[in-house]
Amino acid sequence: MAKTVKEVLAMGKNVQMVDLRFIDLPGTWQHFSIPASTMDESLFEEGIGFDGSSIRGFKTIDESDMLLFLDPDTAFVDPTLEVPTLVIICDVYDPITGEPYERDPRYVARKAETYLKESGIATRSFWGPEAEFFIFNDVRYGGATNSSFYHVDSREGWWNSGEELKPNLGGQIPAKRGYFPTPPTDTLQDIRSKIVLALMASGVDVEVHHHEVATAGQCEIDIRFDTLVNMADKLIKYKYFVKTVAYSKGLTATFMPKPLFGDNGSGMHVHQSLWNNDKNLFFDESGYACLSETAKYYIGGLLKHAPALLGLVAPTTNSYRRLVPGFEAPVNLAYSQRNRSAVCRIPVYSKSAKTKRVEFRAPDASSNPYLCFSALLMAGLDGIQNKIDPGEPVDKDLYELPAEELKKIKQVPGSLGEVLNALEADHEFLLKGNVFTADLLETYISYKRENEVDPARLRPHPYEFTLYYDV
């Protein structure tokens, strides 16, 4: 049952602050707080103003006034804050037109859900992201004209096995050996459990948590599937609680895709399916891996538009430190049942019609989930509308294929610059139904090039001194 304004006002009587949160274009939660005593019905009816000129991807300073409208259904009491605080996720509006703001990523996700229904293909979609992250004990980084460095540390890190830690209790995790060891090797059991409890207290259903493959505190917490906007809201809450709970225990968490050299990076495999009311449109008992023709066309859309999609779903220069062969990273544009080396995988844990789904494995959690899920949906729908054939499945280890066979399989681009070029060249499928706008995409691409691609490209890399200092 959706929360009503009356119910949220009642919740406000038991707290001292109300925290209003919204998402910027790159995907970071922003917020400001008001005393709970000032929250009344007019706040929900009229919205509340803020300066949008300092928000990445929003307004310029000469047109900075913007409005937030509170979504009462998103209200929850933050279990991690000392001062009792009610959190409400908001939508961004233009005060002049009175319309939703076109660059608000949450509005994009709302439009994607509307477009799905209007397409006549399905009534709803379900989303299940598996977001991985690292929890470190220490992090330092910086750069100047004459220097550049980073240093992360974890008591689980294999590099600490020989250090004088006074005492060093051993049990550090070798590279690629972090999957499922029990405590005390897994030092983060209680931290993950506290994150899970915070998520559940905020209304997010959790299925499982565990240590991941990499050394030095790589973790995963899987949250139960939901519809598109709801899941994007939940994933932002997920990232918030991971970081907040870790920080409260003197630790630091990151969703950076590749913080360590020589070990697995952190991805976000996104499970997705389309439904007509209670019928899963992706299931057909007679099809390959029990996939329907609709599901195969959906995969065709994902594969066709994958280079452009990566600009939104793997959107950092660091994403392409992860998307390389050999680290369970899906760089091959193919689909397969079970096979984790394909960019599209069809899980076969169950033969139930309800569980049939497509898993797209290229994304990572540095992405804005509202844009990520919306873009994936639009690519899949384009595949269905145009009956895009994904070709034959590849049920082989793609990393071990002979060179002549591997040449036949396309790979994802290898840099953020390349995928932004692909997005610039291939985005008509995103504009259908005005889900994405040309203005939003132009702003997004320009921001990424100016603030990420060019600064990273122009700076010497520390390893280049090893390679070239003595030339």
Side-chain angles (χ1 to χ4, degrees), residues 42-120:
S42 67
L43 184 64
F44 290 85
E45 294 169 356
E46 301 170 10
I48 185 171
F50 74 101
D51 177 4
S53 65
S54 296
I55 304 300
R56 296 180 300 172
F58 278 17
K59 292 287 190 178
T60 56
I61 197 167
D62 59 314
E63 51 180 18
S64 59
D65 289 351
M66 307 194 78
L67 281 174
L68 290 183
F69 276 90
L70 290 63
D71 183 347
D73 194 41
T74 66
F76 67 94
V77 175
D78 191 324
T80 64
L81 295 178
E82 183 178 344
V83 176
T85 300
L86 181 69
V87 175
I88 305 176
I89 300 175
C90 303
D91 295 298
V92 184
Y93 275 66
D94 187 310
I96 304 300
T97 65
E99 297 294 323
Y101 183 44
E102 293 284 358
R103 294 186 198 169
D104 177 13
R106 197 166 190 260
Y107 182 44
V108 173
R110 287 189 182 280
K111 289 189 290 182
E113 289 195 312
T114 299
Y115 177 74
L116 173 64
K117 294 176 184 177
E118 292 177 347
S119 73

Side-chain angles (χ1 to χ4, degrees), residues 305-378:
H305 297 298
L309 285 173
L310 261 63
L312 293 162
V313 309
T316 65
T317 59
N318 190 248
S319 299
Y320 300 89
R321 311 297 189 203
R322 166 185 170 255
L323 289 175
V324 294
F327 292 92
E328 292 190 20
V331 295
N332 297 291
L333 296 178
Y335 74 101
S336 173
Q337 62 179 344
R338 303 176 66 183
N339 193 339
R340 282 172 166 79
S341 61
V343 73
C344 277
R345 189 177 77 93
I346 318 303
V348 290
Y349 296 117
S350 169
K351 295 183 179 180
S352 169
K354 293 182 178 180
T355 66
K356 188 51 55 182
R357 59 198 187 274
V358 172
E359 176 191 358
F360 194 66
R361 296 173 60 81
D364 63 63
S366 69
S367 60
N368 184 325
Y370 300 97
L371 302 182
C372 173
F373 302 157
S374 299
L376 292 172
L377 177 63
M378 296 302 288

Side-chain angles (χ1 to χ4, degrees), residues 166-440:
K166 300 181 181 179
N168 187 334
L169 301 178
Q172 286 84 7
I173 299 173
K176 298 179 179 290
R177 290 276 300 277
Y179 206 57
F180 285 14
T182 62
T185 302
D186 176 3
T187 66
L188 299 168
Q189 170 72 17
D190 280 343
I191 297 294
R192 291 196 307 272
S193 292
K194 290 178 186 295
I195 295 167
V196 166
L197 294 176
L199 283 165
M200 293 173 66
S202 73
V204 178
D205 294 328
V206 177
E207 294 185 334
V208 64
H209 77 76
H210 59 83
H211 203 289
E212 255 298 338
V213 171
T215 186
Q218 191 183 36
C219 300
E220 182 178 311
I221 300 172
D222 292 341
I223 54 183
R224 184 171 175 77
F225 65 88
D226 206 337
T227 51
L228 194 152
V229 174
N230 286 342
M231 179 51 73
D233 287 344
K234 289 179 177 180
L235 187 61
I236 291 295
K237 289 162 70 173
Y238 172 98
K239 294 178 68 174
Y240 167 76
F241 284 121
V242 166
K243 294 178 181 179
T244 302
V245 172
Y247 190 86
S248 72
K249 300 302 178 183
L251 300 167
T252 177
T254 181
F255 289 86
M256 185 176 177
K258 188 75 169 179
L260 298 180
F261 168 68
D263 208 341
N264 283 36
S266 293
M268 184 178 71
H269 308 149
V270 180
H271 298 254
Q272 50 210 282
S273 58
L274 299 182
W275 292 65
N276 256 337
N277 299 316
D278 293 327
K279 181 182 179 181
N280 185 353
L281 299 179
F282 280 7
F283 178 78
D284 181 346
E285 190 174 11
S286 63
Y288 168 79
C290 293
L291 279 181
S292 67
E293 187 175 59
T294 296
K296 290 176 70 175
Y297 290 146
Y298 188 98
I299 292 170
L302 292 177
L303 295 180
K304 176 182 177 180
H305 297 298
L309 285 173
L310 261 63
L312 293 162
V313 309
T316 65
T317 59
N318 190 248
S319 299
Y320 300 89
R321 311 297 189 203
R322 166 185 170 255
L323 289 175
V324 294
F327 292 92
E328 292 190 20
V331 295
N332 297 291
L333 296 178
Y335 74 101
S336 173
Q337 62 179 344
R338 303 176 66 183
N339 193 339
R340 282 172 166 79
S341 61
V343 73
C344 277
R345 189 177 77 93
I346 318 303
V348 290
Y349 296 117
S350 169
K351 295 183 179 180
S352 169
K354 293 182 178 180
T355 66
K356 188 51 55 182
R357 59 198 187 274
V358 172
E359 176 191 358
F360 194 66
R361 296 173 60 81
D364 63 63
S366 69
S367 60
N368 184 325
Y370 300 97
L371 302 182
C372 173
F373 302 157
S374 299
L376 292 172
L377 177 63
M378 296 302 288
L381 293 180
D382 186 64
I384 294 170
Q385 291 163 336
N386 292 291
K387 297 184 177 181
I388 299 174
D389 185 356
E392 294 299 316
V394 181
D395 290 325
K396 298 178 181 180
D397 185 342
L398 294 171
Y399 300 136
E400 300 298 331
L401 282 182
E404 60 273 13
E405 289 188 48
L406 191 59
K407 286 180 181 178
K408 300 176 183 178
I409 299 175
K410 294 181 180 179
Q411 293 195 336
V412 301
S415 71
L416 179 59
E418 290 177 76
V419 299
L420 292 177
N421 290 342
L423 178 59
E424 200 168 46
D426 175 26
H427 61 260
E428 291 298 320
F429 69 98
L430 297 172
L431 303 180
K432 293 179 181 178
N434 200 39
V435 174
F436 287 77
T437 64
D439 172 70
L440 181 147

